[in-house]
Amino acid sequence: MASECPTPIGKSFGRLIVTGRAERKSENVRWHVRCNCGTQKIVRKQDLVSGVVKSCGCWRSEATAKRTTTHGYRCRGKETPEYSVWSGM
């Protein structure tokens, strides 16, 4: 039988913090983790250690929003007076 690995409760992997060990359903060790945004997930040990998983997915959403925002003066359909003038030019 494979040796058991210690559970690094409290250790951070990117935005994820290990909160405990999950029940084994296969040979893969899984850990309960909590993201900085508050989301909780179960993640495979090798994905955390190798760096494949660094967040719950919130990082991708933030990066996409940042990459696609060109100026930030139009938000959710509300325009500033300055943006309205600029847009009308």
Side-chain angles (χ1 to χ4, degrees):
M1 183 168 170
S3 63
E4 295 293 319
C5 64
T7 305
I9 295 176
K11 187 172 180 181
S12 294
F13 294 89
R15 292 183 172 194
L16 301 173
I17 299 171
V18 177
T19 59
R21 190 165 181 163
E23 184 178 323
R24 285 181 101 162
K25 293 185 178 181
S26 66
E27 290 299 313
N28 296 321
V29 175
R30 297 177 185 270
W31 290 330
H32 289 279
V33 295
R34 186 182 72 247
C35 186
N36 290 348
C37 71
T39 303
Q40 296 185 4
K41 293 182 73 167
I42 296 176
V43 181
R44 293 186 324 160
K45 171 196 165 205
Q46 60 264 32
D47 291 343
L48 281 177
V49 174
S50 67
V52 170
V53 176
K54 296 179 183 176
S55 77
C56 67
C58 64
W59 179 84
R60 183 181 303 236
S61 298
E62 290 172 13
T64 300
K66 186 176 181 180
R67 187 177 63 250
T68 59
T69 300
T70 55
H71 49 69
Y73 287 109
R74 182 171 182 181
C75 181
R76 298 178 189 159
K78 298 179 182 178
E79 298 178 356
T80 63
E82 294 84 3
Y83 178 80
S84 297
V85 170
W86 176 84
S87 177
M89 287 192 235

